[in-house]
């Protein structure tokens, strides 16, 4: 049997390990950077395909940061595509413009900037209702930090983090319903 070129068996093992161990973390990053367009799951899958095809295990770049950067770039690309898809193309209309073309606007299914501002303001109001530790825990977890990273940064026990997350989520659900 012939060896695989460029350590691709090793890259596949790395990809499998990253997918099983860090998938939730990577998906949070994808959700954060794909806002306003694109599917986070699709971006994550595309990033893993790029990782398997292009990552050099003998290079200087560590695997996880390489994958995170690739994932962010993929999310940004999908977001840009979604933005560009707001406008269909050119339709001929005699006597309009230099060449007789008009850009026809087609409404997007993605929320516009005004809707995102309203959603952001509503989220801020909901977060204000939480206790300070609950708010910190929920925001840090939404930013992509693991429970272990939050514990190390805040000096909290795992029990405190779990309690803050549980009570914070419950308070957010109550605020959203009412």
């Amino acid at each position: 049997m012939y060896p695989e070129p460029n350590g691709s068996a090793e890259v596949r093992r790395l990809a499998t390990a990253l997918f099983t161990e860090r998938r939730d973390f990577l998906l949070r990053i994808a959700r954060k950077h794909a806002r306003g367009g694109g599917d986070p799951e699709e971006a994550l899958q595309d990033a893993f395909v790029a990782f398997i095809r292009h990552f050099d295990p003998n290079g200087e770049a560590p695997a996880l940061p390489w994958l995170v950067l690739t994932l962010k770039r993929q999310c940004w690309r999908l977001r840009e595509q979604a933005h560009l898809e707001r406008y269909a193309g050119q339709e001929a209309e005699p006597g309009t413009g230099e060449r007789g073309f008009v850009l026809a606007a087609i409404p997007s299914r993605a929320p516009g900037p005004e809707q995102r501002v309203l959603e952001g303001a509503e989220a801020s109001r909901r977060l204000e209702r939480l206790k300070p530790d609950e708010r910190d825990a929920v925001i840090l977890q939404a930013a992509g930090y693991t429970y272990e990273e939050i514990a190390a940064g805040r000096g909290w026990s795992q029990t405190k983090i779990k309690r803050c997350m549980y009570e914070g989520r419950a308070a957010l659900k109550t605020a959203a319903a009412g």
Side-chain angles (χ1 to χ4, degrees):
M1 180 165 206
Y2 297 103
E4 295 186 45
N6 300 329
S8 59
E10 182 180 351
V11 172
R12 286 192 188 116
R13 280 192 294 276
L14 267 171
T16 301
L18 287 171
F19 187 81
T20 55
E21 296 170 10
R22 304 297 288 190
R23 181 182 183 280
D24 292 338
F25 168 73
L26 293 167
L27 197 53
R28 283 192 302 271
I29 291 171
R31 285 187 188 116
K32 178 181 176 185
H33 289 277
R35 274 191 214 135
D39 178 18
E41 278 286 342
E42 180 184 348
L44 183 60
Q45 291 172 8
D46 290 345
F48 270 102
V49 168
F51 180 83
I52 290 169
R53 286 184 181 162
H54 303 289
F55 181 72
D56 180 10
N58 301 319
E60 293 181 19
L64 183 60
W66 192 99
L67 184 60
V68 167
L69 179 60
T70 303
L71 175 60
K72 287 179 181 180
R73 287 178 176 167
Q74 182 63 21
C75 290
W76 299 335
R77 187 183 66 74
L78 290 174
R79 197 167 74 191
E80 182 179 359
Q81 275 182 344
H83 174 73
L84 293 176
E85 288 174 0
R86 287 178 180 249
Y87 302 100
Q90 298 181 348
E91 291 182 4
E93 251 186 50
T96 58
E98 282 183 314
R99 298 183 184 163
F101 291 110
V102 174
L103 285 177
I106 294 183
S108 170
R109 287 169 279 174
E114 63 282 341
Q115 183 62 32
R116 289 194 300 267
V117 167
L118 291 175
E119 289 170 358
E122 179 61 26
S124 294
R125 280 193 291 278
R126 290 179 193 160
L127 284 171
E128 287 174 356
R129 297 178 186 167
L130 302 181
K131 295 175 185 173
D133 286 347
E134 292 172 359
R135 184 173 39 247
D136 289 349
V138 168
I139 289 172
L140 289 170
Q141 200 262 339
Y145 290 95
T146 64
Y147 283 24
E148 293 80 19
E149 292 168 334
I150 296 171
R154 302 293 293 193
W156 293 346
S157 67
Q158 290 287 325
T159 304
K160 177 167 180 153
I161 294 170
K162 288 177 183 177
R163 182 177 39 80
C164 287
M165 291 300 296
Y166 178 80
E167 292 174 1
R169 286 180 183 143
L172 285 174
K173 285 178 186 176
T174 303

